[in-house]
Amino acid sequence: MASGGSHIADDSKTERSFKPWERFSAWIHAICIVTFDLELGQALEIVYPTCTKLSEEDKTNICYLAFPDSNSGCMGDTQFHFRFRHIPHDSACPTSSHATYNNGNSVSLLANRNYLYGYVYFRQVKDTTLPRGYFQKSVIILSKYPFVNLFLTVCRMIAPEFFENGTLSIEAACHEIDHWPPPINGEIVSLPLLGMVLQAQIPGDISLGNASILQSICSTSVIPCVHLNNLFSCFSNCIYHIQLLWELVLIGEPIVVMASSPETCSQMVHALVTMIMPLMYCGEHRPYFTIHDTEFKEYTKTTQPPPPIILGVTNPFFSKTLQHWPHIIKLPEATKASTLQKNKIKKGVVKAFDSKSGVYTQYEPFLHKDKGIVKKLLKGIQTNRPEEVQSALLRRHLLELTQSFMIPLERYMSTLMPLHKNISPYKAAPSPWPFNPEAFIATLSKSGPQLTTGIKGDWEGLYRRFFRSPNFIGWYSTRSKSMNEKLQILQLEALSEADLRQWVQGKEEVEVVDMIIKIRCKLEECRIRNVRISDHVCKQLQQRMDEIVCTLPDDLRSVLNSKPS
């Protein structure tokens, strides 16, 4: 694993090969400044780089989401994050950096070009020189990545400099970011910014961070987990119900998080979304949602069940408009959040925003509660165990629980792959067998979760409910795509090892030309889809094509050779 320093050295040699703001856009879409205008309300003041394109709808969403709700009364400095739908201006594919990152990542951390995350640093202080008597302004980093820890840290560095020194500090930060190495799965990167160097590990398929590795490399500013927040801090007031919440997120149930500040609700929503890692959460989620959001009417309809989504809200108005939602998490005031409460599950609804904190739901869990993790965390509180360690214990417990649930599914999927002997170099690659829920359920008695966990309960019922969730659809779609790509690679490998000179014997010219065109098309399709084919196989295929092209007449040979292979 290479350190980030080597990337920076390499970048200096290839400076001219990058387009303006290309490396900046690999990390950040834009940096915005939103201010309060007495006549217009929240207004977009500045966007960096100035060439960034944002639709009017984007600008409206950013302005409303950039400030805490007026009822929150957030004085001083506040940090939080949001997420909103974003329609790209161009029809092109994501940037090469985004595509490369996504191709190697299978957890809930993909860069989605149809959504943007906003990382906010909001300042509200008294200022008698202003008409309303308050200075209110936000610095927002927009990115396609859910790197909450990293970008909130970056925003925490940039914003105070901007408030003190003005726009030049933002411009300087943008130019430094435009020299950062690209985000590559599993890599440790060095990110220079405003006189400091951030040392961060980009997540891979399963990455919970590795602080010890990072600290041995650099001691300036270490971010071991760019994408994970403090799980224990978020769940400290509902730790007794952690397994119930895990089930709700796993099966894609609609959940609303009500809190007094956007910081609290956005952190809680992110904690919920990541608690089923490495499984990708495929429902919608909005870490901070306001009544001005374009989807407000869609999510507050009472004529139909809520969609699979996790919402974070702070406006007391939502206690009325969302009281029909089946699962509500009411978080306590920040001043009351320090004690671990043994709240019971509340079967009623939240009738007012000042209702007691707790989990409101009618849901009956499929699994029996595992009291072991609660005992460990309680002991940690008694012995003053650091929150980072508590969070790591909880994260590990949830990871193992998710893996126990997913291993039987992964094992069953492997049985749907066609046998290697059924792959022919001269026929199209076979398709995997379809997923059969009943056939899978039949495997649980011998190879179910009981092999890897002691938690008992109605696992079959939980699987059947999972099959109806967007998380299953997303997982199965990803796995099917991966299996089909594997079969395509195996078919190309078989073709690269086949004796095409023998196959050509007795074939019509049109059949030979058709074979060459098919091979070229398959290679091009793999290139477009970022399917990884070894250089050896590519060279072998080119050699096989050259061998059979030589059997054709000169006119056909010249036509085929004039086209790119």
Side-chain angles (χ1 to χ4, degrees):
M1 186 179 293
S3 71
S6 61
H7 285 301
I8 296 174
D10 292 340
D11 288 343
S12 63
K13 299 176 183 178
T14 56
E15 185 75 31
R16 296 178 184 176
S17 64
F18 290 95
K19 298 177 182 177
W21 304 115
E22 181 180 349
R23 285 177 288 187
F24 179 90
S25 63
W27 289 90
I28 293 173
H29 185 73
I31 298 179
C32 304
I33 309 298
V34 173
T35 191
F36 186 85
D37 185 280
L38 197 58
E39 295 181 359
L40 302 175
Q42 285 145 237
L44 190 61
E45 186 176 77
I46 304 167
V47 178
Y48 291 98
T50 54
C51 59
T52 303
K53 294 181 179 179
L54 292 170
S55 68
E56 289 305 313
E57 188 173 318
D58 286 343
K59 293 176 183 178
T60 300
N61 278 326
I62 293 165
C63 285
Y64 281 125
L65 290 166
F67 281 20
D69 190 279
S70 58
N71 292 293
S72 301
C74 295
M75 288 296 292
D77 293 348
T78 304
Q79 281 202 270
F80 59 96
H81 70 283
F82 58 79
R83 180 176 183 262
F84 66 94
R85 290 177 187 171
H86 161 71
I87 300 175
H89 281 266
D90 59 335
S91 58
C93 296
T95 67
S96 57
S97 295
H98 294 142
T100 301
Y101 172 81
N102 283 353
N103 194 47
N105 212 308
S106 62
V107 294
S108 54
L109 300 166
L110 302 184
N112 190 330
R113 69 194 304 265
N114 297 315
Y115 287 89
L116 281 175
Y117 287 86
Y119 301 93
V120 182
Y121 191 105
F122 169 73
R123 175 167 289 184
Q124 177 174 273
V125 292
K126 290 183 178 180
D127 188 337
T128 55
T129 64
L130 298 175
R132 295 190 73 199
Y134 288 96
F135 171 90
Q136 293 175 305
K137 193 165 289 194
S138 284
V139 177
I140 307 103
I141 293 177
L142 298 177
S143 175
K144 293 181 174 66
Y145 294 112
F147 295 168
V148 174
N149 267 5
L150 173 63
F151 287 124
L152 286 180
T153 300
V154 171
C155 208
R156 194 158 53 245
M157 295 171 67
I158 292 175
E161 284 288 325
F162 164 73
F163 291 135
E164 185 173 342
N165 302 313
T167 58
L168 288 178
S169 60
I170 297 286
E171 293 175 4
C174 288
H175 282 287
E176 282 192 280
I177 295 168
D178 195 38
H179 288 80
W180 284 4
I184 299 174
N185 303 91
E187 288 286 319
I188 296 174
V189 292
S190 293
L191 309 174
L193 183 66
L194 300 178
M196 290 189 67
V197 177
L198 299 176
Q199 200 83 23
Q201 182 176 18
I202 307 304
D205 281 352
I206 302 177
S207 176
L208 301 182
N210 197 329
S212 60
I213 293 177
L214 292 168
Q215 287 169 354
S216 67
I217 295 173
C218 179
S219 59
T220 51
S221 185
V222 177
I223 308 175
C225 293
V226 301
H227 58 299
L228 300 177
N229 55 358
N230 188 324
L231 210 62
F232 176 74
S233 176
C234 293
F235 290 125
S236 62
N237 285 275
C238 47
I239 204 71
Y240 290 93
H241 315 307
I242 193 71
Q243 198 164 294
L244 177 143
L245 295 177
W246 175 83
E247 283 193 27
L248 293 179
V249 176
L250 179 74
I251 62 178
E253 282 288 294
I255 303 171
V256 59
V257 176
M258 294 183 175
S260 59
S261 74
E263 179 181 15
T264 306
C265 73
S266 63
Q267 288 290 337
M268 184 62 168
V269 171
H270 186 70
L272 289 166
V273 168
T274 60
M275 73 187 306
I276 61 170
M277 288 177 62
L279 179 65
M280 181 190 299
Y281 177 77
C282 296
E284 174 70 283
H285 68 283
R286 300 297 179 86
Y288 176 50
F289 187 76
T290 74
I291 59 175
H292 303 289
D293 196 285
T294 51
E295 279 80 50
F296 174 78
K297 290 183 179 179
E298 177 185 342
Y299 297 149
T300 55
K301 285 181 182 177
T302 57
T303 55
Q304 60 190 43
I309 183 174
I310 304 177
L311 289 183
V313 301
T314 61
N315 194 317
F317 183 67
F318 282 109
S319 63
K320 297 178 181 179
T321 58
L322 298 180
Q323 63 178 309
H324 64 289
W325 276 46
H327 318 292
I328 297 174
I329 302 172
K330 175 67 172 64
L331 299 178
E333 297 284 343
T335 55
K336 302 176 183 178
S338 59
T339 58
L340 187 65
Q341 301 174 11
K342 193 173 182 179
N343 293 326
K344 293 182 178 179
I345 296 295
K346 298 172 175 61
K347 300 295 185 180
V349 295
V350 179
K351 295 185 181 299
F353 216 76
D354 57 0
S355 299
K356 290 183 179 180
S357 61
V359 179
Y360 293 76
T361 181
Q362 301 283 345
Y363 180 80
E364 294 293 338
F366 286 95
L367 304 182
H368 301 159
K369 187 180 292 186
D370 180 5
K371 298 179 181 178
I373 184 63
V374 176
K375 289 180 180 178
K376 285 182 182 178
L377 295 173
L378 288 175
K379 185 176 180 180
I381 294 173
Q382 294 169 357
T383 58
N384 293 320
R385 185 185 293 149
E387 273 201 355
E388 293 80 7
V389 180
Q390 293 277 80
S391 187
L393 283 172
L394 182 54
R395 182 76 66 183
R396 177 61 60 182
H397 168 76
L398 292 171
L399 174 64
E400 291 173 353
L401 183 58
T402 303
Q403 287 178 325
S404 292
F405 182 82
M406 296 305 299
I407 286 172
L409 286 163
E410 293 287 352
R411 186 183 293 117
Y412 173 74
M413 284 294 287
S414 67
T415 67
L416 304 181
M417 279 286 280
L419 297 176
H420 200 288
K421 65 180 182 180
N422 294 332
I423 298 173
S424 168
Y426 308 117
K427 295 179 181 179
S431 298
W433 293 99
F435 188 96
N436 185 326
E438 296 305 321
F440 166 75
I441 294 297
T443 68
L444 293 179
S445 59
K446 292 184 178 180
S447 55
Q450 70 274 8
L451 298 180
T452 53
T453 180
I455 297 175
K456 300 184 183 300
D458 184 10
W459 285 98
E460 178 182 330
L462 184 59
Y463 280 114
R464 290 189 184 279
R465 183 63 186 81
F466 176 68
F467 294 152
R468 304 200 302 270
S469 75
N471 292 331
F472 171 74
I473 295 170
W475 170 80
Y476 181 64
S477 174
T478 301
R479 290 293 286 113
S480 295
K481 178 185 176 184
S482 175
M483 291 166 69
N484 277 303
E485 288 179 353
K486 178 64 176 176
L487 289 167
Q488 290 288 342
I489 292 172
L490 291 173
Q491 198 268 342
L492 287 173
E493 288 177 352
L495 192 59
S496 72
E497 296 169 0
D499 188 351
L500 294 188
R501 286 174 297 185
Q502 180 67 30
W503 175 82
V504 165
Q505 301 301 320
K507 294 292 188 295
E508 298 288 339
E509 290 176 357
V510 66
E511 294 179 87
V512 178
V513 172
D514 186 56
M515 172 64 84
I516 295 168
I517 292 173
K518 282 182 177 178
I519 295 174
R520 287 177 173 176
C521 287
K522 283 188 177 182
L523 289 172
E524 178 63 14
E525 183 181 355
C526 290
R527 185 191 66 79
I528 293 172
R529 293 184 178 181
N530 288 313
V531 178
R532 297 171 183 173
I533 305 173
S534 69
D535 291 339
H536 173 72
V537 171
C538 289
K539 290 178 182 178
Q540 285 282 93
L541 285 170
Q542 186 60 53
Q543 185 178 336
R544 298 292 177 263
M545 285 191 289
D546 291 342
E547 289 172 356
I548 59 176
V549 165
C550 291
T551 66
L552 296 172
D554 290 344
D555 56 341
L556 278 177
R557 196 187 311 167
S558 61
V559 171
L560 286 170
N561 287 335
S562 66
K563 296 180 180 180
S565 57

